[in-house]
Amino acid sequence: MLKILLSSLLLCALSVQTAGAQDIKMPNQPKKAQYNDFSMQEKGFWCAVEAGVGTTVENNMRNMQRADLSFTGGYRFSEYLRAGVGVGAGYYFNNTSRRSTNTDVNIPIFANVRGNMVSQYSRTAVPYWSMSIGGKVDDGFFVKPTVGCRFGELRQSFLLGLSYEYSRMKFADPDKKGASYFSLVLGYEF
C-alpha cells in the first residue's frame, strides 16, 4: 500500500512539473474592433445647442425682449477653429408695438465660425469666441458675435456667453431699419 501511495505521489509531482514546462503561446493582440475615443479627437464633426435671452437697449423707444434656441453643426478643424451652419427659433416679447408684422416667432438660418482663445487640453475653463451671420425668415440679415467661457472637456463643454446682435427688421416706423440686442447665451457643445 505504501508503494502505491508513493508511486501516485511521484506521478502527481512529475505531471505538475511537466505541465509547468509546456510552452503555451498566447496571441499578441486580442481580436476585437479598434476603439476610437472621439471625445479626444481634435478634428471631426461637432454640434452645439444654445439658448439665449436678450433685450434691445434704446433710450427713445420701447425695448423688445427676445428668447431664442438654436442648433449648429459643422466640422472641427482644430480647437481654435470650427465652422458650421445652424437653424433656430426665436420669440419676440413686446413685439406688436415695434414691428410691422403680426408674427412673434422668427426662424434664423446662419453660418457660424467659432473657436477657443487658449488651449483646453490642460484646462477645464477657457474663453471662446463665436460669429454667426445669416438671415431671419420674415425679417432679414443679422450678425451676431459672441464671447464667453467654455466649461468642461475638449469636446464636451457647457457654454456661457454674452452676445451682441444686429438684426434687420420690418418696423412700424419706416425710418427704423434694424435693432441691436444684447443677449446672455447658455449652451452645450459636443
Side-chain angles (χ1 to χ4, degrees):
M1 175 89 143
L2 186 59
K3 283 185 178 183
I4 293 174
L5 185 61
L6 285 174
S7 61
S8 57
L9 282 173
L10 184 63
L11 280 175
C12 284
L14 286 174
S15 65
V16 168
Q17 184 181 6
T18 57
Q22 290 180 355
D23 189 21
I24 299 173
K25 291 192 177 186
M26 296 294 290
N28 292 338
Q29 201 169 49
K31 293 181 180 178
K32 64 178 181 178
Q34 186 174 358
Y35 174 73
N36 290 326
D37 187 5
F38 292 106
S39 67
M40 295 307 291
Q41 289 184 349
E42 187 153 327
K43 296 181 180 181
F45 183 72
W46 68 275
C47 293
V49 178
E50 296 171 309
V53 292
T55 185
T56 59
V57 182
E58 297 183 20
N59 293 332
N60 56 355
M61 296 183 146
R62 185 175 179 192
N63 288 314
M64 286 190 309
Q65 288 73 38
R66 187 184 74 212
D68 51 0
L69 179 69
S70 66
F71 173 80
T72 310
Y75 189 78
R76 178 185 174 102
F77 298 97
S78 72
E79 68 177 306
Y80 303 106
L81 181 62
R82 296 179 285 286
V85 294
V87 64
Y91 181 80
Y92 291 104
F93 301 94
N94 302 327
N95 178 39
T96 54
S97 64
R98 299 282 310 276
R99 298 175 67 220
S100 63
T101 180
N102 291 333
T103 180
D104 293 337
V105 178
N106 68 3
I107 299 173
I109 301 169
F110 55 91
N112 179 268
V113 179
R114 65 177 65 193
N116 293 349
M117 293 182 194
V118 296
S119 178
Q120 195 168 0
Y121 276 106
S122 61
R123 297 172 181 92
T124 57
V126 296
Y128 80 96
W129 60 273
S130 175
M131 174 67 82
S132 295
I133 298 174
K136 294 181 181 177
V137 177
D138 291 333
D139 275 334
F141 170 80
F142 79 94
V143 60
K144 182 179 179 180
T146 303
V147 293
C149 193
R150 291 171 45 101
F151 301 96
E153 298 176 3
L154 186 63
R155 294 288 298 239
Q156 299 177 12
S157 294
F158 289 98
L159 307 173
L160 175 62
L162 182 63
S163 68
Y164 165 80
E165 178 181 324
Y166 175 78
S167 297
R168 299 281 293 183
M169 294 184 183
K170 297 175 183 171
F171 284 101
D173 180 5
D175 295 333
K176 183 81 172 158
K177 300 293 183 200
S180 296
Y181 284 91
F182 290 96
S183 300
L184 179 65
V185 179
L186 301 172
Y188 183 72
E189 184 177 303
F190 53 97

